[in-house]
Amino acid sequence: MKPIKTLFEALPQSSAAFPAQLAALYDGGLTLTPPDNRPLVLANFVSTIDGVVSYALPGRSGGGEIGGFNEPDACIMGLLRAHSDAVLTGASSFNADSGHVRTPGFVYPPARELYARLRASLGKTRPEPMTVIISASGQVNLHEANLHTPGVETLIITTDAGAERLRAQPGVSAVTYIRSVGAGPELAPEQIVRLLGEDFGLKVLLNEGGPGLFSSFLKARRVDQLFLTLAPQLAGRDPAHQRPALVSQHAFLPEDAPWSQLFSLKQSGDHLFLRYGLAARDTSS
């Protein structure tokens, strides 16, 4: 793997909990401090220079195509999963990304043992982060490998109708938990974050959903930090190929568009790895 170099760091980052080999890979530590009253919500994306996050082509819609299957990007993705109590994804992304298991070691196998040691040093009670699937309709492929991986708890957050549909399907026993947050039709990010914090005691959530799920969390001001890999390619768009951007299902106005603070900038080859803190949000709801 090409080395990762730290170019800028705005916050002190402790490497005390890191295995030395992992700190060497990442060129330092990573400190994530959850607030006292709610989970910390992270998001992780890879984007082209012109803002495309998916080619939206059958079998080629994942982030790997955007990032060029870059090893340092995969390593950082695994690092974020290792820090997290749960990885969130939307049902459409879950169903489309066949065979993918949302664990640190799956995305970057060379550091599997290092990630496990990191989780132990952080006091994580689960050997792997919980996989949380967000689906209002309850239309989830229950045959996916992620639901049948030993050591990985799974949770589907859905509506009343979605829960009823799921519980009637053969193979539903593969799901560890099903939780409804009401009649719907939409699932509010505020409800999702509250449920994961209060009912499951989760402290760090990693949003790996597509632009739709990310946009809904951003609109609700339920994203604390964004880890963004900038890949050195240009994908382009045309009227017949409206490829999704990072935020593609909500248009902010100048007066309400979220601003961010650059926390960190790292480099490996021609790839840049940015970490942003999102502006403080209203937590009264």
Side-chain angles (χ1 to χ4, degrees):
M1 185 180 91
K2 289 183 179 179
I4 297 171
K5 301 177 183 179
T6 302
L7 305 180
F8 170 78
E9 195 71 69
L11 304 175
Q13 301 298 317
S14 172
S15 60
F18 271 49
Q21 292 168 282
L22 192 55
L25 285 174
Y26 189 59
D27 192 28
L30 175 62
T31 301
L32 297 171
T33 306
D36 293 332
N37 61 338
R38 57 173 174 79
L40 181 76
V41 181
L42 314 174
N44 184 39
F45 272 90
V46 58
S47 170
T48 62
I49 294 172
D50 56 336
V52 172
V53 298
S54 171
Y55 276 100
L57 298 170
R60 304 181 69 188
S61 62
E65 299 287 348
I66 296 295
F69 300 95
N70 180 259
E71 275 195 271
D73 177 54
C75 179
I76 293 174
M77 189 175 184
L79 179 61
L80 294 177
R81 289 180 177 184
H83 270 276
S84 300
D85 298 303
V87 177
L88 281 61
T89 183
S92 58
S93 297
F94 181 83
N95 293 337
D97 199 3
S98 182
H100 190 91
V101 180
R102 288 152 185 83
T103 62
F106 181 90
V107 74
Y108 190 62
R112 187 188 307 273
E113 294 303 320
L114 298 177
Y115 295 142
R117 286 166 51 194
L118 175 61
R119 288 185 68 80
S121 68
L122 293 170
K124 300 295 182 184
T125 58
R126 294 175 175 85
E128 303 285 5
M130 177 187 287
T131 297
V132 179
I133 305 160
I134 314 300
S135 173
S137 67
Q139 295 179 341
V140 176
N141 182 356
L142 300 181
H143 301 290
E144 267 301 315
N146 203 142
L147 296 172
H148 300 270
T149 300
V152 178
E153 290 183 287
T154 54
L155 164 65
I156 299 177
I157 299 179
T158 185
T159 60
D160 294 342
E164 184 177 355
R165 178 179 293 110
L166 279 165
R167 292 188 174 110
Q169 291 186 44
V172 70
S173 60
V175 183
T176 314
Y177 309 101
I178 297 172
R179 290 290 188 274
S180 169
V181 292
E186 295 183 355
L187 302 178
E190 300 92 331
Q191 291 177 293
I192 294 169
V193 173
R194 186 181 304 117
L195 183 150
L196 293 173
E198 295 179 357
D199 290 15
F200 292 91
L202 307 186
K203 301 295 185 182
V204 180
L205 312 177
L206 177 59
N207 188 330
E208 287 189 5
L213 186 64
F214 174 73
S215 298
S216 70
F217 270 66
L218 191 64
K219 179 183 176 184
R221 301 300 196 264
R222 287 320 192 255
V223 179
D224 292 298
Q225 297 184 28
L226 170 64
F227 288 78
L228 180 66
T229 296
L230 190 61
Q233 71 165 316
L234 298 157
R237 304 172 177 86
D238 63 38
H241 301 91
Q242 292 296 328
R243 291 163 174 162
L246 179 61
V247 182
S248 59
Q249 296 192 24
H250 180 74
F252 291 100
L253 298 174
E255 57 269 23
D256 70 352
W259 285 85
S260 58
Q261 177 185 356
L262 182 63
F263 280 177
S264 176
L265 173 62
K266 293 175 182 278
Q267 175 193 10
S268 180
D270 296 316
H271 284 69
L272 295 176
F273 307 97
L274 302 102
R275 178 188 178 191
Y276 290 103
L278 276 295
R281 70 195 185 195
D282 178 8
T283 59
S284 61
S285 59

